Amino acid sequence: MNTFSVTGMDFWYGTHHALEKIDMEISANAITAFIGPSGCGKSTFLRTLNRMNDTIDGVRVEGSILFKGLDIYRDYDVLDLRSQVGMVFQKPNPFPMSIYDNIAYGPRLNNSRIARSELDGIVEESLKDAALWDEVKDRLGKSAMGLSGGQQQRLCIARTLAVKPEVILMDEPTSALDPISTSHIEDLCYSLKEKYTLIIVTHNMQQASRISDYTAFFMINDERCGYLVESGDTRSVFYNPKNKKTEAYISGRFG
């Protein structure tokens, strides 16, 4: 089953044509990795999937992006879309409040009358799903700013999970982390796909090959416009690519 179906998508920042004719199916309950050189539009495409780019003046999108069969621009309220398609950013961005209140923020926003007992359950479940509960359960009232970088990133993942999304977008979620914290996030991603669809932008070829089920390789043309070279199951893209450009990039001959 596909979560997203993208057909003939073009994207502009003002007059700059940033992405050209993107066609892609994104499978549910799987990890899809976006790889490619800097500036090829991976993060732009990722942010289009929950309309984060709407916050930038002068952007324009053409083509079709369907989420669960419905057009994300015509058939979804943007806040409803973002509640179903969550986002985790490159640098951990915990709110300057307690660990508990970070997780409770979204549920409270969605339901101002939510009972404390229900909130307690959401906080515990979200932290457990993010593999952080055992590390923080005795200091939920302490500031989230006191957590390590890796813990802060898992907290941000837990905060995303608290509003019960179906999809989690991750924009280089481990690039600011040490190797041990990176390993924790990778293990977490692998376990989360049982419940969620994950889409991850990464510059780390080894990470993409380790944790993703599907890989999409993007390039940039002479006009500085990003395009999709090929996509498919990760083993095929890495070990039997259809396009010579994919083979050259994965083998390190350019990019």
Side-chain angles (χ1 to χ4, degrees):
M1 188 178 91
N2 294 322
T3 301
F4 283 100
S5 181
V6 182
T7 307
M9 194 205 92
D10 283 70
F11 183 91
W12 286 264
Y13 288 112
T15 59
H16 173 55
H17 195 181
L19 286 168
E20 181 178 44
K21 294 293 178 287
I22 305 296
D23 294 293
M24 188 190 302
E25 305 290 328
I26 297 177
S27 297
N29 295 103
I31 302 173
T32 299
F34 294 170
I35 63 171
S38 295
C40 67
K42 304 182 299 295
S43 293
T44 293
F45 181 48
L46 185 81
R47 293 167 66 91
T48 300
L49 297 176
N50 74 340
R51 295 179 54 182
M52 286 292 289
N53 290 321
D54 288 13
T55 61
I56 303 169
D57 289 338
V59 301
R60 179 161 58 95
V61 181
E62 292 184 0
S64 170
I65 305 174
L66 303 183
F67 174 55
K68 299 192 298 185
L70 299 175
D71 189 289
I72 67 169
Y73 286 94
R74 289 200 303 266
D75 302 321
Y76 282 96
D77 171 77
V78 67
L79 294 180
D80 181 47
L81 177 69
R82 289 177 190 164
S83 72
Q84 296 183 63
V85 185
M87 185 96 182
V88 176
F89 296 94
Q90 183 173 354
K91 291 184 67 175
N93 60 339
F95 300 146
M97 55 181 67
S98 72
I99 294 167
Y100 184 101
D101 286 337
N102 263 269
I103 309 302
Y105 184 86
R108 281 175 174 150
L109 203 61
N110 292 339
N111 178 9
S112 60
R113 297 183 177 182
I114 190 168
R116 176 70 185 217
S117 58
E118 186 177 350
L119 265 182
D120 290 347
I122 290 171
V123 169
E124 181 173 347
E125 180 185 8
S126 302
L127 288 169
K128 283 180 174 176
D129 283 349
L132 191 58
W133 174 252
D134 288 339
E135 296 169 46
V136 302
K137 62 183 178 183
D138 296 324
R139 48 175 173 150
L140 296 178
K142 298 288 180 63
S143 172
M145 311 309 288
L147 298 174
S148 69
Q151 288 175 325
Q152 286 186 6
Q153 192 64 303
R154 279 183 284 153
L155 178 74
C156 292
I157 293 170
R159 190 174 66 199
T160 300
L161 299 180
V163 295
K164 309 295 184 188
E166 296 188 28
V167 180
I168 305 171
L169 310 178
M170 295 183 165
D171 193 358
E172 296 192 63
T174 64
S175 64
L177 304 180
D178 61 82
I180 292 175
S181 297
T182 295
S183 178
H184 285 156
I185 298 293
E186 289 182 2
D187 290 344
L188 174 58
C189 289
Y190 205 76
S191 66
L192 286 174
K193 72 177 182 178
E194 294 182 13
K195 296 182 180 179
Y196 307 94
T197 299
L198 285 84
I199 307 170
I200 181 170
V201 168
T202 179
H203 276 103
N204 187 324
M205 294 298 98
Q206 291 77 21
Q207 182 174 76
S209 66
R210 274 195 304 266
I211 71 168
S212 69
D213 302 290
Y214 301 95
T215 296
F217 171 54
F218 293 80
M219 271 286 293
I220 191 165
N221 63 23
D222 292 340
E223 286 75 42
R224 308 299 295 169
C225 181
Y227 65 97
L228 178 64
V229 178
E230 71 173 283
S231 63
D233 71 86
T234 293
R235 176 163 285 275
S236 295
V237 171
F238 272 81
Y239 299 108
N240 190 26
K242 298 172 185 174
N243 192 294
K244 290 191 182 333
K245 291 178 180 178
T246 311
E247 184 180 4
Y249 182 76
I250 286 172
S251 64
R253 293 203 296 275
F254 77 88

